[in-house]
Amino acid sequence: MKILFLHVDFVKFKPLKKALKSIGELSEKEKEEKTVKEALLVLTAVEKTDSDTKKIVAKFVENVKDVAKQVKAEKIVFYPYAHLSSNLASPEQAIEVMDDAEKELKKNFSVVRAPFGYYKEFELKVKGHPLSELSREIRIDSDGKTAIVEEKYDYKRLLNEISKSKLDTSKLKDNDHRIIGQQMDLFSFSEVAPGMVFWHNNGLIIKNELIDFWREMHRKSGYQEISTPQIMDKKLWQISGHWEKYKDNNFVTDYEKRTFLVKPMNCPGGMLVYKNKPKSYKELPLRVGEVGVVHRVELSGVLAGLFRVIQFTQDDAHIFCTEEQIEKEIFGVMELINLFYKKFNLEFDHVELSTRPEKRIGSDAMWSKAEKLLEESLKKKKMKYKINKGDGAFYGPKIDFHVKDSLNRTWQLSTIQLDFSMPERFELEYTDKDNSRKRPVMLHRVIYGSLERFMGILLEHTNGRLPTWLAPFQVRVLSFTDRNVDYAKKIIEKIGNEIPNVRIDADFNQSTVQSKVKDAEIMRVPYTIVVGDKEEKEKTLAVRIRGSNKIQTIKADDFIEKVKKEIGGKS
């Protein structure tokens, strides 16, 4: 059997006249033109070797389901297409295979079948993604085993299709993070992975620096760091409640007849780490952090650079504590949030207390207690806040911190969520002073929120002029003429030796200083050093600081001390 799959926006077909005399006449209704939209079109040729109808139908149905799942098709159009093979089965054999396959597939799909044995005219529009067209061949070997000959494809055409992604800057502001990202060679996107970031070296430097800072601050604040699997059994998500809550936003996969979920949240994995061994009251509060990658299905129309993605990184942490420790832990998280945002000169636009949603887990008594505790914490800290009724997490109320970006849009980044429900569902326990078993309370919290979104906001807030410790290139040395290259190399070596891990590079190209400075400007290099005859003679540096037109003459040792402080102190 040979199959050609076409994922179509629409297919339109109309029977014209009989191609086989043995085929019965169609009714007037069956002769009418049919149009099916948003479907998987299955062009099929049944061959002489397909004599074991049961096996060939089973394999055929399996392949159709496989492709339909990949392209998320709910409608199947069967289309007999003799041109796929020169070794066609008898009409009777072909019809039997088609009948049995249609009957099986109707259990899961809406199936439309084009008439067999008729000449037909047809029109279709194929979707423009790499899975639009697939061909497969199914054979039954002499020993009775089924063999699949994988699809044939034109790799050049496929390469052309996936190479069409291009950023349209016509409607974007000059400081849009997507433009900055392109100029500074930070990241890119591709249709082969919608809503997922391809991090380039420069962008990954920024991301890793943010994570390293997060790790440093959390170590100082008494957090442990863990890492949990990317894909976990459906049962875990049913226990936590995420399966039902995010049913339409989950990436699901199968392995050995078990259903698995690509994690949309980090917390259920953290529960299993807690449950791995008995806990004592002496271990509480237990603060556990995870920089975890999560996936949530989003409509392609809402994807927007780093601001709205399908795959993103959450700086999750979960605090397991007693009821008496809740307030102190909430205050500790608030202090950590303020520390981070002062570091980046970002101010919160407003704070919200989000209360119980309509669809939730846990008792009303638990919710009332949790909402009261969060509100009292806000009042004691004298923080202004709004009530965001019904927008809490499905497992508990939360305090959300909103930042305003350069276009006056507000984004919810940091959050503190108080949860009595999930420890109950996972039967988390600790042994108290009197040897009784008690249930801990749980705080879910993030600081950056989505690391990708945070980076987008930071890039626009600073117009790409990041603080020295975050910049992909911190120092660039330019030669005025070829005769200054040796001295410039000595300067690079000196700076590199005295500032550990400094990101320094050089531009000794055969172009004008103005051109070299412009290139450094595009890359937003904090410190651009120009070395000419004067600097070499006086053993000084001509330094251009953060795009300023003013050139400062600085001694090498003074410059090194200044940059060392900025990098070491993350100022």
Side-chain angles (χ1 to χ4, degrees), residues 52-97:
D52 190 333
T53 303
K54 189 174 180 180
K55 282 189 177 180
I56 207 74
V57 166
K59 212 65 194 175
F60 175 52
V61 168
E62 180 186 319
N63 275 262
V64 173
K65 285 182 176 179
D66 175 43
V67 177
K69 182 179 177 182
Q70 290 185 64
V71 299
K72 296 183 173 60
E74 296 177 355
K75 300 175 190 172
I76 307 292
V77 178
F78 270 179
Y79 200 101
Y81 201 64
H83 305 290
L84 291 176
S85 175
S86 58
N87 187 35
L88 293 171
S90 67
E92 294 76 20
Q93 184 184 345
I95 289 171
E96 183 184 359
V97 170

Side-chain angles (χ1 to χ4, degrees), residues 80-122:
Y81 201 64
H83 305 290
L84 291 176
S85 175
S86 58
N87 187 35
L88 293 171
S90 67
E92 294 76 20
Q93 184 184 345
I95 289 171
E96 183 184 359
V97 170
M98 298 289 280
D99 284 346
D100 290 353
E102 180 183 5
K103 182 180 177 182
E104 191 64 30
L105 284 164
K106 275 187 172 178
K107 295 175 183 178
N108 303 98
F109 301 94
S110 169
V111 181
V112 176
R113 187 165 154 190
F116 182 88
Y118 270 75
Y119 294 115
K120 299 174 283 290
E121 64 180 16
F122 71 95

Side-chain angles (χ1 to χ4, degrees), residues 215-420:
R215 286 188 169 125
E216 180 187 346
M217 292 300 103
H218 282 73
R219 275 194 299 269
K220 290 178 179 178
S221 299
Y223 285 77
Q224 302 174 15
E225 186 177 359
I226 63 169
S227 179
T228 59
Q230 200 65 40
I231 300 171
M232 290 178 272
D233 195 298
K234 172 183 176 180
K235 294 172 189 160
L236 176 71
W237 306 99
Q238 288 175 316
I239 296 166
S240 71
H242 288 90
W243 182 266
E244 192 63 30
K245 173 67 178 176
Y246 293 100
K247 188 160 50 180
D248 298 326
N249 296 93
N250 287 334
F251 285 94
V252 180
T253 185
D254 292 317
Y255 169 66
E256 293 189 344
K257 297 181 181 178
R258 293 166 62 192
T259 302
F260 286 75
L261 184 65
V262 181
K263 67 177 178 182
M265 293 278 190
N266 296 304
C267 32
M271 303 285 181
L272 297 187
V273 173
Y274 183 96
K275 281 180 71 73
N276 189 54
K277 68 174 186 176
K279 298 289 186 293
S280 161
Y281 73 94
K282 294 178 182 178
E283 297 173 74
L284 304 184
L286 178 62
R287 307 180 189 106
V288 182
E290 175 174 13
V291 182
V293 176
V294 298
H295 291 74
R296 296 180 197 169
V297 174
E298 296 279 7
L299 296 173
S300 59
V302 302
L303 299 175
L306 298 178
F307 285 162
R308 193 70 175 264
V309 287
I310 286 172
Q311 179 196 72
F312 57 99
T313 312
Q314 280 193 319
D315 62 313
D316 260 322
H318 300 99
I319 301 172
F320 303 92
C321 62
T322 66
E323 285 194 35
E324 295 75 28
Q325 294 168 336
I326 290 173
E327 185 179 273
K328 185 178 179 182
E329 291 305 306
I330 290 173
F331 290 166
V333 176
M334 287 177 174
E335 287 168 13
L336 201 54
I337 289 170
N338 284 328
L339 184 152
F340 268 73
Y341 284 83
K342 281 181 181 176
K343 175 65 69 176
F344 300 106
N345 291 321
L346 287 170
E347 293 183 4
F348 288 108
D349 179 73
H350 67 278
V351 175
E352 291 178 351
L353 173 61
S354 299
T355 59
R356 69 193 76 183
E358 192 173 317
K359 194 173 181 180
R360 58 186 182 268
I361 61 173
S363 68
D364 285 345
M366 281 180 176
W367 277 88
S368 296
K369 184 193 289 187
E371 288 169 353
K372 184 181 178 183
L373 282 165
L374 287 183
E375 189 156 23
E376 285 176 351
S377 298
L378 287 166
K379 286 177 178 176
K380 284 185 180 179
K381 280 291 185 181
K382 297 180 180 177
M383 294 178 71
K384 292 181 180 178
Y385 63 93
K386 302 175 183 177
I387 298 290
N388 187 7
K389 192 174 180 181
D391 203 40
F394 71 91
Y395 44 76
K398 55 182 182 159
I399 299 171
D400 291 330
F401 297 80
H402 292 254
V403 165
K404 185 174 284 186
D405 69 14
S406 59
L407 295 179
N408 285 324
R409 297 168 299 190
T410 59
W411 301 95
Q412 184 254 303
L413 295 178
S414 302
T415 186
I416 305 171
Q417 303 170 352
L418 182 52
D419 181 5
F420 287 91

Side-chain angles (χ1 to χ4, degrees), residues 497-512:
N497 287 338
E498 297 194 30
I499 308 178
N501 301 317
V502 67
R503 293 187 288 274
I504 185 169
D505 72 343
D507 187 348
F508 300 153
N509 291 324
Q510 299 293 321
S511 58
T512 64

Side-chain angles (χ1 to χ4, degrees), residues 167-201:
L167 179 64
D168 179 9
T169 60
S170 60
K171 296 179 182 178
L172 302 180
K173 301 284 186 182
D174 289 343
N175 75 324
D176 189 286
H177 71 277
R178 287 163 286 191
I179 294 177
I180 295 169
Q182 195 174 68
Q183 292 171 339
M184 296 177 67
D185 193 22
L186 304 179
F187 52 81
S188 59
F189 293 90
S190 168
E191 276 305 305
V192 300
M196 304 184 201
V197 186
F198 286 76
W199 292 104
H200 300 193
N201 179 69

Side-chain angles (χ1 to χ4, degrees), residues 66 105 117 128-129 134-135 143 148 159 216 281 293 300 342 385 391 410 412 430 462 530 538 553 557:
D66 175 43
L105 284 164
H129 59 69
L134 284 174
S135 64
D143 61 0
I148 298 177
L159 178 62
E216 180 187 346
Y281 73 94
V293 176
S300 59
K342 281 181 181 176
Y385 63 93
D391 203 40
T410 59
Q412 184 254 303
Y430 68 91
T462 61
V530 181
E538 297 177 358
T553 301
D557 289 341

